[in-house]
Amino acid sequence: MEIRALLDRRDDRFRSEVEDFVREQGITTFDELLDVITTSQDGQVVRQGYRVFSLVSAGDETYLDLLRHPHHGIRRAAASMFRGEEALPHAARLLPVLADENHYVRREALWAFGTMGPDVLPLLQETRRTAKGALRRAALIGIAEVAGPDAFSPEDRKVVDRFVRFKAEDDLYSVDEMHLCGGWYAIRTENQAAVLEVCGLKEPVPVPRFLGAEAWNNDHHAWSKDDEHVRCARVYVTGSWDGWTLVFGEPFEHGTRPVTEICAVLSAVFGEAHYYGMSCGDGWTAWCIAEQGEIVRYYDAFKAEEQIGELDVEDGWGLPHDTSDENDDLDDIWATDVAEELSVNPAYFEGDVEGSGVLALTECGRVHGSPKGFLRVSS
């Protein structure tokens, strides 16, 4: 297939980018593009080759055939070309890719299934009942990605619950790094049950820390924006950690209540409650400290004009929003630095943690169901 002919099938917005690349590489056909991607020793050329692969319109049949290509990168790139409900007719041919030997190819196929919608569930559920080996296991992962644990069969639910309980018991004394992106609450209490009750959280399921962190990150980074309850259906609540219980996620009313109000309410019940926030994609950070129902300190790097009070722990640090000359020699302080001093820093789970953490459903989760998305049970 001539690349120039493939470009004629689509908008010419990217034509010059593609034409520049094929001219520099001295190629004219799609097969030659594949050769460049799989044989070049220049990483920049390979990356640009994959970019061109995604820009030309080679057609679904070509991409489906490439799902069996010997090079894993080509299989991954081919799987990435199937997204949304329009990919549904090809689900049966994409199914074996869920069990590909390469992690990144499997992940790309999983994302493809996750965008197809609930109409792909019967295929995955039938595969789970009738297939064997890796494909049968992959079908369960696909079901979780498409519809979450609510779509598991009773038998699969028992298998997963049993395995999670085993991992939770094994996890009590582990030390794990936690990817922090989003907000969490630190409540001064060792009474997890009381936290669940005050926050209105139900159906708690014991989980290992890694799985709790996976759920929080999955829900916070969910691609689907149509589901307004994707970020407020469940939260991860830790066991007692040096006298604190942490709540990761949005426990109240789909995240519409301000954190200052939530911290004030929680501190009125438990004496002290904090909120911390970190982002993995930009410079956002935030913290809120409340005692006996009153806000002692509130800071949000993106809403610095709304800050309340100050903390001794901030002395000698610069606030991230402040770019004035007098702060040039100061390191910025982040929510994890404040948490380390005033409560516990979950960037590393260490120290004595009593009891198992749990995933629990909010009111939104009980009404609208658990969030979809495959979660790894162990690192």
Side-chain angles (χ1 to χ4, degrees), residues 118-333:
D119 287 346
V120 79
L121 274 176
L123 172 66
L124 291 167
Q125 290 166 334
E126 177 64 19
T127 303
R128 178 63 183 168
R129 287 192 296 269
T130 60
K132 296 181 179 179
L135 185 56
R136 183 171 185 270
R137 293 190 294 273
L140 182 63
I141 293 172
I143 292 169
E145 182 70 14
V146 171
D150 295 340
F152 289 167
S153 69
E155 294 77 13
D156 283 339
R157 170 72 77 168
K158 290 178 183 176
V159 170
V160 172
D161 287 349
R162 186 165 58 246
F163 184 59
V164 169
R165 282 197 301 271
F166 167 77
K167 293 298 294 183
E169 292 173 5
D170 192 47
D171 185 67
L172 288 176
Y173 302 103
S174 66
V175 176
D176 293 321
E177 181 176 1
M178 187 171 185
H179 177 72
L180 298 177
C181 187
W184 70 95
Y185 295 89
I187 305 167
R188 187 183 281 280
T189 181
E190 298 181 348
N191 192 339
Q192 183 190 72
V195 172
L196 295 173
E197 182 178 359
V198 170
C199 293
L201 303 171
K202 305 292 185 181
E203 302 177 33
V205 176
V207 292
R209 300 174 201 171
F210 191 88
L211 181 56
E214 275 279 301
W216 176 56
N217 277 289
N218 173 83
D219 301 349
H220 181 69
H221 293 94
W223 288 359
S224 170
K225 303 301 179 190
D226 340 354
D227 183 355
E228 61 175 314
H229 303 284
V230 72
R231 296 183 178 178
C232 57
R234 67 183 170 194
V235 296
Y236 170 45
V237 184
T238 69
S240 171
W241 184 6
D242 291 343
W244 295 85
T245 298
L246 275 55
V247 178
F248 292 87
E250 302 286 357
F252 299 107
E253 302 186 47
H254 5 283
T256 56
R257 294 174 69 178
V259 297
T260 49
E261 179 183 325
I262 294 174
C263 283
V265 169
L266 291 175
S267 70
V269 177
F270 296 102
E272 189 173 354
H274 304 175
Y275 171 83
Y276 301 102
M278 293 285 288
S279 172
C280 65
D282 53 36
W284 177 72
T285 190
W287 50 92
C288 180
I289 310 299
E291 298 176 359
Q292 307 299 329
E294 299 291 333
I295 302 301
V296 174
R297 172 61 164 150
Y298 171 67
Y299 172 78
D300 186 313
F302 288 179
K303 302 175 184 177
E305 69 282 358
E306 299 178 10
Q307 62 180 301
I308 300 169
E310 56 186 20
L311 297 171
D312 290 343
V313 70
E314 297 168 3
D315 291 346
W317 295 83
L319 294 173
H321 79 280
D322 190 346
T323 57
S324 60
D325 292 342
E326 63 187 38
N327 284 333
D328 275 351
D329 295 331
L330 300 179
D331 292 329
D332 284 342
I333 190 170

